[in-house]
Amino acid sequence: MLKDKFERVIDYIRVSVTSRCNFRCLYCMPNTPFEWEPKENILSYEEMFEFLRLAIDEGVKKIRLTGGEPLLRKDLDIFISMLYNYKPSLDLALTTNGYYLKEYAKKLKKAGLKRVNVSLDSLNPQTAAKIAQKDVLKKVLEGIDEALKVGLGVKLNTVVMDGINDGEILDLLDFAKNKGVTIRFIEFMENERAYPGIKSVRSDKILEKIASRYKFKELPKDNSASRYFQTDEGYVFGIIEPHSEDFCKSCNRIRLTAEGYLIPCLFFTESYNIKEAIRNRDIKKAAEILKEVVKNKPEKNDWQEDEVSTRAFWETGG
Ligand code: SAM
Ligand code: SF4
């Protein structure tokens, strides 16, 4: 079992399979990065699998594939089936912008994927196009429907931005409720790659807005990044509030980037590379790095209100 210094059990890895993306979301990647990593620096699926197998043997129970946009990487279903076949009970999930989901949902489900989180920031085609800097809404909505149709578990993620989509909180909640899926509203996390001037809407304001239409109560906290709430009629929605004091208490995750960096905390700049160890087939060394990362997982993120993260969300997988 992987346990950090603060007695938190680490049983969840988020894997960014590519940094590339077909959207240019204002809060994440508004400008195309200066250059992309050359292909030889990216871990192959086989290399990622070698490392993840080790992590699974050490007790990892949940793997989420993310990016960049994970559906841009070829043969993702093959990678999913490698993981599934190794341990069918793994909680295998994907975070996607949904653009290619209609095309791939069936294949992904067949390969062993269980759940998908789709980013949906607006139901207004113009606002969605303004945020992603591309006309995306129709394809994203079709992707959500297809994922539901093939039987994947679906959740929606919405980054709430002041003056951009905060007027749609109730519409998005009703949309998710009518589809029978959970929506989670995420506070925008300030980072130096985001479009300048974007302002976060804090959880108290989001909850205030929801309270104008629904009565709800908070559910007991589990070890996910969200706080969950249930309306009187039984609908469950969530809030992700990285600005809150309690955010790190139950953190159970580490991250692996496409370039092989193992990252103990989204908001810390430290990282350790496993690429060399894996390419040299030095599994003992890779296991040592994994243990070192878990050991050095910080108690709390070092990111305060007036600070701006230097981490690129598209590299670390959000
Ligand atoms: N491309 C996929 C997507 O958009 O769902 C997966 C990668 S994306 C980096 C993962 C998650 O990070 C998304 O839900 C996205 O909304 C969130 N995210 C990205 N930048 C963020 C920011 N600055 N603040 C809060 N959430 C952010
Ligand atoms: Fe791409 Fe996801 Fe970042 Fe948007 S949030 S730019 S879809 S990686």
Side-chain angles (χ1 to χ4, degrees):
M1 184 192 287
L2 298 166
K3 222 184 220 185
D4 73 5
K5 285 197 291 249
F6 308 98
E7 292 295 301
R8 292 174 299 195
V9 174
I10 307 304
D11 58 5
Y12 174 16
I13 299 194
R14 292 178 72 103
V15 182
S16 172
V17 295
T18 178
S19 296
R20 294 171 190 247
C21 191
N22 52 334
F23 287 17
R24 291 289 173 270
C25 299
L26 297 179
Y27 47 76
C28 177
M29 194 198 296
N31 305 305
T32 305
F34 184 64
E35 59 186 12
W36 298 111
E37 278 292 325
K39 209 172 166 208
E40 62 270 21
N41 288 354
I42 305 296
L43 294 180
S44 67
Y45 286 146
E46 287 72 20
E47 288 166 343
M48 283 183 179
F49 177 68
E50 273 313 303
F51 175 75
L52 291 172
R53 197 160 63 155
L54 181 75
I56 293 167
D57 292 348
E58 290 288 347
V60 163
K61 295 193 175 65
K62 172 172 172 181
I63 295 178
R64 175 173 296 280
L65 306 178
T66 171
E69 175 44 43
L71 294 182
L72 288 188
R73 186 153 173 183
K74 217 170 135 234
D75 297 332
L76 192 70
D77 58 311
I78 295 179
F79 183 44
I80 289 171
S81 62
M82 285 159 84
L83 292 165
Y84 176 80
N85 290 335
Y86 187 66
K87 190 155 191 181
S89 64
L90 253 191
D91 184 1
L92 261 176
L94 174 81
T95 299
T96 171
N97 62 30
Y99 195 84
Y100 290 114
L101 202 49
K102 184 175 180 194
E103 212 166 315
Y104 292 123
K106 200 170 177 186
K107 256 187 174 178
L108 298 171
K109 167 81 177 155
K110 197 160 166 244
L113 188 72
K114 298 190 172 121
R115 300 184 298 113
V116 62
N117 286 358
V118 185
S119 296
L120 179 71
D121 296 321
S122 175
L123 291 169
N124 175 309
Q126 282 80 35
T127 309
K130 179 177 163 183
I131 296 170
Q133 301 192 75
K134 179 177 175 138
D135 181 15
V136 295
L137 187 64
K138 184 169 176 282
K139 289 202 52 147
V140 174
L141 295 179
E142 286 173 359
I144 293 169
D145 285 340
E146 185 67 15
L148 286 168
K149 191 171 144 199
V150 303
L152 285 165
V154 175
K155 277 189 189 147
L156 303 178
N157 285 339
T158 302
V159 176
V160 186
M161 291 163 282
D162 188 26
I164 298 180
N165 64 347
D166 55 341
E168 288 191 63
I169 291 170
L170 289 172
D171 289 348
L172 283 157
L173 187 110
D174 285 346
F175 171 84
K177 182 163 73 79
N178 292 335
K179 292 266 174 215
V181 304
T182 291
I183 188 165
R184 297 173 321 159
F185 296 102
I186 309 176
E187 291 178 343
F188 162 65
M189 299 174 227
E190 292 75 6
N191 71 93
E192 65 177 22
R193 325 289 173 119
Y195 189 76
I198 291 188
K199 282 207 244 75
S200 152
V201 178
R202 294 302 157 88
S203 55
D204 53 337
K205 295 277 173 242
I206 299 171
L207 290 171
E208 214 173 88
K209 188 63 150 176
I210 297 172
S212 69
R213 186 172 298 169
Y214 293 101
K215 278 205 171 115
F216 55 83
K217 62 167 193 287
E218 184 159 1
L219 296 173
K221 181 93 179 76
D222 58 12
N223 63 357
S224 82
S226 317
R227 279 164 73 197
Y228 283 105
F229 302 83
Q230 188 171 38
T231 66
D232 275 4
E233 52 192 270
Y235 174 67
V236 173
F237 65 94
I239 304 267
I240 299 183
E241 42 180 8
H243 296 88
S244 117
E245 271 294 302
D246 286 348
F247 189 65
C248 307
K249 267 190 195 153
S250 55
C251 185
N252 60 345
R253 69 204 61 184
I254 54 175
R255 294 172 158 79
L256 177 67
T257 73
E259 298 80 27
Y261 289 100
L262 205 53
I263 301 174
C265 170
L266 182 58
F267 299 100
F268 262 71
T269 37
E270 282 122 78
S271 57
Y272 306 71
N273 206 303
I274 52 129
K275 187 165 55 199
E276 205 182 309
I278 292 293
R279 289 196 172 162
N280 291 337
R281 304 211 160 269
D282 190 348
I283 297 301
K284 198 165 151 242
K285 178 78 191 162
E288 276 168 23
I289 298 174
L290 172 62
K291 295 217 164 108
E292 188 69 13
V293 166
V294 170
K295 201 177 92 200
N296 288 327
K297 190 169 161 61
E299 184 176 17
K300 281 177 74 173
N301 65 52
D302 68 347
W303 171 70
Q304 278 123 39
E305 189 140 333
D306 48 356
E307 277 184 31
V308 171
S309 168
T310 53
R311 271 264 155 78
F313 278 70
W314 69 85
E315 281 167 0
T316 53

